[in-house]
Amino acid sequence: SAVVATVEIVAAEPDNDAAAGGATGTVTDEGLVDAVKERPVHVCRARHGGIWMPGQLRMGAKACQVSLLGKVFSNTHYEVLENVENGARLSWVQWGRYNPVLQRGSVAGGDSYVARRKLDQEDEGKVLGFRHLVGRFDPKEGIGRIIVIDDTKEESEEKEFHEGEILIETEPINYELNGLKFLNKRRKDVRTLKELGSATLRNDQSDGPVKVDTVVAYDAVVSMYWGQGKAMLKGLATNIRMPNGPNIEEIRWGIPYTEERK
């Protein structure tokens, strides 16, 4: 699914004036609003001047908005950031002058990173409009800066801040597979008899009955594979636990295991 950067609150059944304001994220008279609905704003990126830049894709729009040097541009050729089957653990982490370090796992959209900024305190009381301004984090100047697209006015404009939030992907260090359920009903397989080895029991030392035994040795190949899911890291250490708790196996996830036993 596409990654949502923020939401735009619009009137569910606005009049003509509210509809015009809802298109830009603002409403002139919020007291007339009886019901509202949310429109997601997704993270996208587009090339401008040969450089990939993160931006925003509003619901119903056919272009990704990016900004550069104080101007906002709409690009019809773009890519949308997707979290396949919600396999990635994404979160928005605060960044600013008191915590200026760019954290490991920051999601890049080219030379800059996906970022957003919550609207100013005086705008929080508004019912309608955007909850965040979406844009990018540029680490090149000083401690860095967050550059966002302000769509709250009739004409979109670029704004710059020294605090906001950066999108972070937290990488797992291991997996644990638990709550296993096994299907006892097996598919019908054609069984073929195979001779693994042979030996002859002999009584060469006595004319009477004696106990004799021998060992039949054979080679075997044991293989095990637990599968692979989308957005999961291959080779990560994985513990497999039965429903009652004990650890039955430790494997490297997504890698078939084969062992020759002799």
Side-chain angles (χ1 to χ4, degrees):
S1 59
V3 176
V4 176
T6 187
V7 293
E8 178 187 9
I9 310 298
V10 298
E13 296 180 359
D15 55 21
N16 293 335
D17 294 336
T24 59
T26 60
V27 171
T28 56
D29 190 354
E30 297 193 5
L32 301 177
V33 177
D34 295 327
V36 297
K37 60 181 179 180
E38 294 185 356
R39 291 179 177 175
V41 179
H42 297 104
V43 177
C44 62
R45 72 171 186 173
R47 283 188 182 273
H48 187 78
I51 302 175
W52 281 109
M53 303 182 64
Q56 67 175 14
L57 179 65
R58 296 176 60 181
M59 184 176 178
K62 297 182 179 180
C64 175
Q65 287 182 305
V66 297
S67 65
L68 181 66
L69 300 177
K71 296 182 179 180
V72 178
F73 304 91
S74 296
N75 297 65
T76 55
H77 298 282
Y78 58 88
E79 296 179 354
V80 178
L81 180 63
E82 290 192 359
N83 187 1
V84 180
E85 295 184 359
N86 293 322
R89 181 175 294 180
L90 299 175
S91 59
W92 294 94
V93 177
Q94 191 70 28
W95 175 89
R97 64 188 65 185
Y98 298 109
N99 51 344
V101 178
L102 181 63
Q103 295 193 22
R104 183 178 181 181
S106 299
V107 179
D111 294 335
S112 54
Y113 300 86
V114 178
R116 70 180 186 181
R117 187 181 189 277
K118 193 172 183 179
L119 287 176
D120 293 333
Q121 188 71 24
E122 60 267 18
D123 294 331
E124 290 186 355
K126 290 186 177 181
V127 176
L128 304 179
F130 296 98
R131 291 298 173 257
H132 301 83
L133 303 179
V134 184
R136 69 187 192 277
F137 170 72
D138 185 358
K140 296 178 182 178
E141 296 185 9
I143 64 172
R145 53 182 180 159
I146 289 182
I147 304 171
V148 296
I149 300 171
D150 188 356
D151 255 350
T152 60
K153 301 179 181 179
E154 292 184 1
E155 293 187 4
S156 301
E157 60 181 3
E158 181 185 77
K159 286 188 176 181
E160 179 180 324
F161 299 94
H162 291 285
E163 60 181 3
E165 297 174 330
I166 299 176
L167 185 61
I168 304 292
E169 179 184 2
T170 304
E171 296 284 356
I173 58 176
N174 57 54
Y175 293 132
E176 181 174 302
L177 190 62
N178 53 33
L180 300 176
K181 293 182 180 180
F182 296 97
L183 297 177
N184 296 324
K185 185 178 180 181
R186 299 181 179 180
R187 65 180 183 180
K188 294 182 179 180
D189 295 328
V190 178
R191 296 186 178 184
T192 303
L193 294 178
K194 184 177 182 180
E195 183 178 338
L196 299 178
S198 62
T200 302
L201 297 177
R202 298 179 180 275
N203 181 9
D204 297 332
Q205 300 179 357
S206 174
D207 294 334
V210 294
K211 292 183 178 180
V212 294
D213 57 26
T214 187
V215 175
V216 179
Y218 63 92
D219 298 339
V221 177
V222 178
S223 61
M224 178 174 57
Y225 181 59
W226 288 84
Q228 165 66 1
K230 291 183 178 180
M232 299 186 69
L233 301 179
K234 286 188 175 182
L236 209 60
T238 303
N239 292 326
I240 302 176
R241 298 183 182 276
M242 293 295 290
N244 56 359
N247 189 2
I248 63 172
E249 197 72 42
E250 291 185 4
I251 63 170
R252 294 290 176 180
W253 182 258
I255 298 179
Y257 172 77
T258 303
E259 178 185 356
E260 293 185 3
R261 296 180 180 178
K262 298 183 179 181

